[in-house]
Amino acid sequence: MRIKSVVEVMNFHSLLRVDASKREAENYRNVGEEITKIIKTIIYNKNLLLDKKVILPDPNMARLNIYIANDYGFCGNFNAQVTREIKKDKDDYKIIIGKKVVYTDDKVILKIDKDNFYKEFSKIEKAIDDAIRNSTYSSINLYYNHYNSSTSFEFRKLELFPVEFDGEYDEKNDFVIETDITSMLHSLLSFYILYQLRMCECFSRAAENVLRNQITTEALDKIKEIEEEELNMMRKEKKNKLVAKTVDNFKKMAYQEEENG
């Protein structure tokens, strides 16, 4: 069956994409951890006169939420939770990634197709950078489907900003500052948030392929079941024909015996 071959290819490709997305996510995670170390070293250095308020948002400001959906086939359930969350967060500003999420209001500051995530990433980068430098929002949150394993994923919320930094003061390192430390720290925070976003997009991609693999596996099982039913029907039909032929031959022999009687 041609449809079976197509589903088998989709099933195989989904597994390959899960593995590729996982590896890509780990690379972004490593970079994010290094950026965190750099920021912590600056924040907790006793030799630096730094007003820690520059990395703390105003809690009275509005929130910005980023939602990662899916644009490909078999994504109805995948996008359903994203859509529900968007409708629930009607008072928050939004960046929506995914054309199949049909939603718009005056608080949607950016909406891009999932396919164009990297092509138009500069738009997201500008929105985040402006938000950090101007202290526009009290928090920046990300909603996405997170890959757990080859058989499961879950819908998650990740707070990208403010960033929690816990640690002790660093007296071992000293700095020579030849730039505006506040501006540099803002740049590092934006860089950190954007790398977290890239990492989560990879996990979301892995999760959507887990779902695609599950659906195509179920489809292949159903196709196999149908094939077995058809094969059993063919066997039954063949057996019925054989029985009918045997009965017919037996009748002919009986008639001949009567005539020769």
Side-chain angles (χ1 to χ4, degrees):
M1 294 174 66
R2 186 175 182 277
I3 189 170
K4 181 180 179 182
S5 300
V6 172
V7 176
E8 285 176 336
V9 170
M10 292 174 65
N11 183 268
F12 178 68
H13 282 175
S14 65
L15 287 174
L16 293 180
R17 289 169 183 150
V18 167
D19 190 56
S21 299
K22 279 167 50 186
R23 289 198 304 270
E24 189 177 350
E26 288 303 318
N27 291 334
Y28 287 126
R29 187 203 297 276
N30 294 337
V31 174
E33 288 175 353
E34 290 303 314
I35 298 169
T36 306
K37 289 179 185 177
I38 294 172
I39 297 173
K40 284 174 69 174
T41 302
I42 295 172
I43 293 173
Y44 293 110
N45 189 276
K46 279 194 171 181
N47 298 314
L48 269 181
L49 294 176
L50 178 65
D51 184 358
K52 304 302 184 292
K53 290 181 180 178
V54 299
I55 62 168
L56 296 177
D58 182 350
N60 297 315
M61 301 298 285
R63 290 184 302 235
L64 171 64
N65 296 332
I66 304 171
Y67 309 88
I68 301 179
N70 171 275
D71 280 355
Y72 300 106
F74 307 125
C75 60
N77 291 336
F78 191 91
N79 288 342
Q81 288 178 300
V82 177
T83 302
R84 279 197 295 270
E85 190 62 41
I86 291 173
K87 290 179 179 178
K88 190 172 74 174
D89 302 335
K90 61 182 180 179
D91 295 328
D92 298 335
Y93 287 90
K94 305 167 185 71
I95 293 176
I96 301 174
I97 301 164
K99 65 183 177 184
K100 288 195 174 183
V101 174
V102 182
Y103 183 90
T104 183
D105 63 22
D106 58 354
K107 291 186 180 291
V108 176
I109 64 172
L110 181 62
K111 192 174 190 298
I112 64 175
D113 294 355
K114 180 71 177 296
D115 274 347
N116 294 333
F117 178 77
Y118 289 99
K119 292 178 185 176
E120 300 186 32
F121 194 77
S122 59
K123 295 180 180 179
I124 303 174
E125 186 175 7
K126 184 179 187 307
I128 297 298
D129 193 58
D130 288 347
I132 296 299
R133 293 182 184 279
N134 299 323
S135 300
T136 310
Y137 305 106
S138 62
S139 67
I140 300 175
N141 305 293
L142 173 65
Y143 292 90
Y144 72 108
N145 286 285
H146 182 80
Y147 168 88
N148 288 327
S149 69
S150 59
T151 58
S152 72
F153 61 89
E154 64 178 326
F155 187 63
R156 278 192 186 180
K157 172 189 175 182
L158 177 64
E159 188 174 76
L160 299 175
F161 181 77
V163 183
E164 292 288 334
F165 295 109
D166 51 351
E168 298 179 353
Y169 280 107
D170 179 10
E171 296 179 313
K172 299 176 183 177
N173 299 297
D174 200 358
F175 296 91
V176 175
I177 304 300
E178 296 183 355
T179 186
D180 177 14
I181 187 64
T182 300
S183 177
M184 184 181 76
L185 195 54
H186 282 159
S187 296
L188 284 171
L189 284 170
S190 296
F191 198 47
Y192 168 80
I193 292 169
L194 292 167
Y195 260 83
Q196 288 288 98
L197 179 57
R198 285 175 180 265
M199 178 183 70
C200 291
E201 188 277 331
C202 293
F203 280 131
S204 174
R205 207 182 323 140
E208 70 191 42
N209 279 289
V210 166
L211 177 61
R212 191 171 292 112
N213 180 256
Q214 290 173 350
I215 293 173
T216 52
T217 297
E218 290 174 4
L220 288 171
D221 289 342
K222 187 63 178 177
I223 291 171
K224 184 179 178 182
E225 183 182 323
I226 293 171
E227 287 178 339
E228 288 177 353
E229 288 178 0
E230 290 176 348
L231 185 59
N232 288 335
M233 288 290 292
M234 289 174 61
R235 287 172 179 165
K236 186 176 180 180
E237 186 178 346
K238 187 176 181 181
K239 183 179 179 180
N240 289 339
K241 286 182 179 180
L242 182 60
V243 170
K245 186 176 181 181
T246 302
V247 170
D248 188 51
N249 289 337
F250 180 78
K251 287 179 179 179
K252 287 180 180 179
M253 289 175 61
Y255 291 149
Q256 288 177 356
E257 288 178 0
E258 286 180 4
E259 289 176 358
N260 295 331

